[in-house]
Structures are given as structure tokens and as C-alpha cells.
Amino acid sequence: MKIIRGAPGTGKTALVFREFKEALRAGHTDLRIVVPTATLVRHFQHELARDGVVFSPRSIVSLNRFITDSTESAPIPDGLLRAIVRDALQRFKFPEFAAVATTEGMAATVVDTLNLFENAGCTPDKLASIRKLGPHAKPFEKLWRTVRDHVRQCGFQLRGDLLRSTS
């Protein structure tokens, strides 16, 4: 496994793809490249095909496909996650969220915020360990734990748990 880091526009993608293509041409078949989006998967597959490189379609996968294929757990469907968040907001009645807790916008904002935190590798424990958080952080952390526990009880996983289970 290689991890390539650098500023935008420094040629990271071109370098990775060039090395990947060279390895395929050299006959290596045990390769997999994980890219951020399904669009980039199709782009790389088309470029390899145009160059006449023989490859397995499974050798280029999106991050989402990689996670799904690498774990036994299933990701929580978006609609179910939103319903769990709505339910938790109504059950806990946090004073900090009282004015907006029953709105669809609040549930969407919580789901988006959970996704941002989880994509950044944060957990409720990490959030709780930060000192001097704003007034909404503690209730959000409690809400996050509740949602995560409910998601697990339903037999699904949040994205962060899925990511951690692939390592």
C-alpha cells in the first residue's frame, strides 16, 4: 500500500495512475487502486481501455465499494439514518436544539455533520475529549452516541465504523 500526499495540482493522481498502469502492463494482477468516486473509476477504466491495457474491472474501485467489499457490516441507508436522527432529536428534547429539533432541516444538518465528523476520523469519544467546546457540542456528542448505538442495534454501521473496520 502506498499513500501519496501533496498539494493540489502536484501530479499525485497522474503518478499513481502511471505506476498502476505500468504494473498492469508488467503482468501484476493482484493490484487494486481505490479512488474517491465512481466517476473516477469509470474515467480510469476508460483510459486503460484506450491504452490497450488488460485489467480486471475489480482492480479499480471507489472508496465506497472498497469499504462495502471489505466489511461484513452494511452501511446504514440514508433514509433510515435520517429517521433515527429525527427520533433521537424528538426523544431527548435537547434545550439547545429545541427551536429546530422537529424540522427536517435539523435532521439533515445532523446527518451531514455526522458524515463530516466521521469522514475526518472523529468519534464521539474524541469529540468529548476536546476542551472548551461550544454549547452545542455536548448535546451533539450525546445525540451522536445515541444514533450510533441505534444504528448498530439495527444491524448497520455508520461510515466511520465501516472505515475503521477495513483497517
Side-chain angles (χ1 to χ4, degrees), residues 99-114:
V100 293
T102 60
T103 67
E104 193 58 37
M106 180 59 177
T109 299
V110 169
V111 169
D112 290 345
T113 305
L114 286 175

Side-chain angles (χ1 to χ4, degrees), residues 6 10 27 38 42 51-52 58 66 78-79 81 85 89 101 108 146 160 164:
T10 57
R42 286 187 301 279
D51 290 346
R58 308 248 339 128
F66 176 75
D78 291 338
L81 177 57
V85 166
L89 283 166
T146 301
R164 282 184 289 283

Side-chain angles (χ1 to χ4, degrees), residues 15 36 51 64 93 156:
L15 169 72
D51 290 346
N64 192 51
K93 301 189 186 316
F156 295 103

Side-chain angles (χ1 to χ4, degrees), residues 46-167:
H46 291 159
E47 190 166 326
L48 287 170
R50 278 191 303 272
D51 290 346
V53 178
V54 178
F55 64 97
S56 165
R58 308 248 339 128
S59 61
I60 305 172
V61 296
S62 67
L63 179 59
N64 192 51
R65 171 65 59 150
F66 176 75
I67 292 168
T68 302
D69 291 351
S70 300
T71 64
E72 293 181 15
S73 300
I76 181 84
D78 291 338
L80 180 56
L81 177 57
R82 190 161 279 137
I84 291 170
V85 166
R86 274 195 309 266
D87 178 63
L89 283 166
Q90 290 173 2
R91 272 188 300 130
F92 280 102
K93 301 189 186 316
F94 295 108
E96 297 85 353
F97 306 139
V100 293
T102 60
T103 67
E104 193 58 37
M106 180 59 177
T109 299
V110 169
V111 169
D112 290 345
T113 305
L114 286 175
N115 287 331
L116 288 170
F117 272 102
E118 297 221 332
N119 286 340
C122 192
T123 64
D125 291 336
K126 287 180 183 178
L127 180 62
S129 72
I130 298 172
R131 294 182 184 175
K132 298 184 182 180
L133 289 173
H136 296 92
K138 268 293 183 210
F140 177 78
E141 179 251 327
K142 186 174 181 181
L143 177 64
W144 187 359
R145 285 181 194 280
T146 301
V147 168
R148 183 197 58 198
D149 293 347
H150 193 115
V151 166
R152 288 175 178 170
Q153 289 171 357
C154 292
F156 295 103
Q157 298 245 2
L158 292 173
R159 184 173 174 86
D161 291 332
L162 289 170
L163 285 169
R164 282 184 289 283
S165 69
T166 62
S167 46

